[in-house]
Amino acid sequence: MMTLTIAIRNIFRHRTRTLITLFTIAFGCVAIIFVHGFFEDALREMRDSYIKAITGHLQVCKRGAFDKGFARPLDYIIDAPKDIISLIEKTPGVRVTSSRLVFSGLMSTGENSVSFLGQGVEPQKEQSVICRSSEDFIKLMRDRSFDKPDVGGVTIESGDSLEAKDTYSAILGKGLAKNLDIKPGDSIVLLTNTVGGSINAVDAKAKGIFYTGAKAFDDIALRVPLSTAQTLLRTEGVNNIVVRLFKTEDTQRVKELLEKAFKVHSWDLEIRTWDEMSDFYTKTKMLFYQQLFILEFVMTVVVLLSIFSTMNMAVLERTSEIGTIMALGTKRRGVIKLFMYEGLVLGIIGGLLGMGAGWVVIKMVSTIGIPMPPAPGMTFNWISQPDAPAKTYVLVFFLSVVAGLVSSIFPAYKASRLEIATALRGNA
Amino acid sequence: MSVVEVRQAAKTYLMGQIKVTALKGVDLTVEGGEFMALAGPSGSGKTTLLNLIGGFEKPTSGSVRVKGTDLAATSADALASLRARQMGFVFQNFNLLPVLTALENVEYPLLLSDKFSASRHRDLARQALERVGLSGHLLHRPMEMSGGQRQRVAIARAIVVEPDIILADEPTANLDHTTGEEILRLMKDINRVSKTTFIFSTHDQKIMDMADRVVRLLDGAFVEGA
Ligand SMILES: Nc1ncnc2c1ncn2[C@@H]1O[C@H](COP(=O)(O)OP(=O)(O)OP(=O)(O)O)[C@@H](O)[C@H]1O
Ligand SMILES: [Mg+2]
């Protein structure tokens, strides 16, 4: 107890030096908390924009379609989707569904043709999320509550978006339109195989040009109303039901619910979650966490060196005090304990300060928001609102305490090996 | 049994290539209850001899026994225990812990020895400070006290564990004459009442005159009193 008292009082003997050390520890903590919070937010931003713009939370297809159907979408059409859709929409946690009919074909302007990936979509269901501007899109992305049914949200760059009443109209991905130099209002011809195997073509009007978060998609995609796609392919079916939930965290739970229900009805369907459909998120997450680890490592080393230098100086300054307490009968263990306590207390106080300061910084920054350039693979700007999870705060505290202990091991050992006579003479 | 038995103790230091002989093989016996002065000019080996008796360092040759224990054959931890239980120390520079109050400084050695139960530590420390006339300064830090008061705290710290022997290396050298004599009278009083053995070094003639026995060192050898 007395040892702890002495350790704490010794720490506050050199106020300035102690403050600098504590500041260094706290700064390290804040840096880790902030960057962690920032990465978490960027990851969430990326995840949500993928979900909102491209994959939805879940997609339902005929069995096998996910693995083999990409090249031959017409082999995997759900012929009577009505009952399935109403079952899905009644499942708790589901916000909305929207059906798509995916097909491929050739688009031509007369002189030139280019192949495309077509999506027949339901404008009345996706309408509310098709944004007019990137500001709208950012607003939508920041809306974490998923209030709006925004499956397949795309941003219209020029022209108009699809509406429920549209029939022979299409909106084109930015890259695809550029390829054939198509502007809103231009006429295009879409050529494709029907479900029956014959060839069908329609004249359509390019109503607008869109972009999503993903450039690769924008380079090949075009969208037409579902009814137009169904006419073109001569079918009543769809091959993909996109499911949007209220909360991303519910994804797995809803998937299991749906799988059970499909089994009951003996529907031969398959469900994929957003993360199964895109490993981009998982890979980026790994990359982010590797960078974070490097930062944590560097910060811990800096903090370690800072405490080490403080403790080392303390041992030098207090040579005669160490000699005195050893002369009075303090064992080497006792000397080690004294200095380890000092390091420990520095780590604890610094860690607590760091947690507090980190929390304040995070709250301040997320209130203001940092405008950010597009995340990797994305085409839109976003506003970062860093928010570190509780485990980050625990981590920085733990790192501070460990750094305090580890960095005082050597100075403490050095102090304990002093010769009493030499240490006492050092003062005289 | 003698409290201290020094037999043919020699100490040489190596300063680079040069050998410095601090003690040339001295013999000294101190009996319980003695009040003994160690005199001699600067560099004569007073501190070195006290360090050997306190077990702070080991003789290059010869032996030092305290209450029959051969210090050279004792481990560092056992020496620490021996000091905590049976020895008190007073230094020229007082050597109080600056972060502790007078009371805490006096309490400190009690924590190192298992002689007294923890519940009595505070009271014993208070009594020791009373004994040296500082009952009004229990909560003062060393920085808030005069040299004489600090040395009184140091004496209280030395007597609080009721040791058999107190070693004091020039306890008055940093004090003016009057205060130095007061400190020595206090030590003498403790010696008389508690029968604690005192060995203190000094080069002040007046202080030497207060001792029961004076041992004189010159160039690492006794010239008188051993
Ligand atoms: N650690 C050491 N290394 C080298 N020489 C030393 C060491 N300690 C003491 N000496 C030498 O040993 C001799 C005796 O020193 P000591 O300190 O015992 O003398 P002293 O009588 O206490 O002197 P003073 O009155 O100045 O305190 C001196 O010559 C001193 O220089
Ligand atoms: Mg000396």
Side-chain angles (χ1 to χ4, degrees), chain B residues 108-176:
Chain B
Y108 186 82
L110 288 169
L111 303 167
L112 302 173
S113 109
D114 47 11
K115 259 183 165 173
F116 307 96
S117 72
S119 57
R120 293 183 60 203
H121 288 177
R122 267 285 135 99
D123 281 339
L124 287 169
R126 210 172 275 129
Q127 282 164 25
L129 279 164
E130 244 164 64
R131 180 97 172 75
V132 301
L134 282 179
S135 33
H137 294 74
L138 301 183
L139 300 180
H140 284 75
R141 297 265 181 115
M143 290 292 280
E144 299 156 2
M145 289 187 282
S146 70
Q149 288 172 332
R150 288 187 215 181
Q151 201 61 306
R152 283 165 188 276
V153 175
I155 290 170
R157 180 175 69 179
I159 60 172
V160 74
V161 291
E162 297 175 10
D164 298 306
I165 176 170
I166 290 178
L167 303 174
D169 192 7
E170 312 210 26
T172 61
N174 275 352
L175 303 171
D176 61 66

Side-chain angles (χ1 to χ4, degrees), chain A residues 421-422 425, chain B residues 11-15 20-23 39-51 57 92 169-170 201-203 217 220:
Chain A
T422 321
R425 273 182 210 268
Chain B
K11 184 73 186 174
T12 52
Y13 295 103
L14 266 182
M15 296 233 310
V20 181
T21 304
L23 280 181
S42 188
S44 56
K46 304 184 293 292
T47 298
T48 305
L49 181 58
L50 285 170
N51 283 350
E57 49 192 343
Q92 178 179 341
D169 192 7
E170 312 210 26
S201 69
T202 184
H203 27 218
L217 267 170

Side-chain angles (χ1 to χ4, degrees), chain A residues 2 9 324 327 330-331 420, chain B residues 81 83 95 99 104 108 111:
Chain A
M2 179 79 112
R9 291 197 195 155
T324 305
T330 306
K331 296 185 173 134
I420 302 174
Chain B
S81 297
R83 282 195 294 267
N95 290 26
V99 294
E104 288 165 337
Y108 186 82
L111 303 167

Side-chain angles (χ1 to χ4, degrees), chain A residues 115-136:
Chain A
S115 60
F116 67 84
L117 174 73
Q119 291 184 331
V121 297
E122 296 176 283
Q124 70 275 22
K125 282 188 166 177
E126 304 201 13
Q127 177 73 41
S128 57
V129 296
I130 295 173
C131 308
R132 288 285 159 183
S133 62
S134 54
E135 280 74 36
D136 281 0

Side-chain angles (χ1 to χ4, degrees), chain A residues 2-3 5-7 9-11 13 320-334 338 419-422 424-425 427-428, chain B residues 13 47-48 51 55-57 76-78 80-81 83-84 89 91 93 95-101 104-105 107-109 111-112 141 157:
Chain A
M2 179 79 112
T3 311
T5 310
I6 297 175
R9 291 197 195 155
N10 274 331
I11 286 175
R13 243 159 108 174
S320 97
E321 280 171 45
I322 297 163
T324 305
I325 61 169
M326 286 172 90
L328 294 180
T330 306
K331 296 185 173 134
R332 284 180 175 153
R333 258 199 316 281
L338 178 66
E419 292 291 336
I420 302 174
T422 321
L424 284 173
R425 273 182 210 268
N427 187 46
Chain B
Y13 295 103
T47 298
T48 305
N51 283 350
F56 300 163
E57 49 192 343
D77 276 4
S81 297
R83 282 195 294 267
F89 298 90
F91 306 92
N93 293 310
N95 290 26
L96 299 175
L97 294 190
V99 294
L100 299 184
T101 62
E104 288 165 337
N105 262 292
E107 207 182 333
Y108 186 82
L111 303 167
L112 302 173
R141 297 265 181 115
R157 180 175 69 179

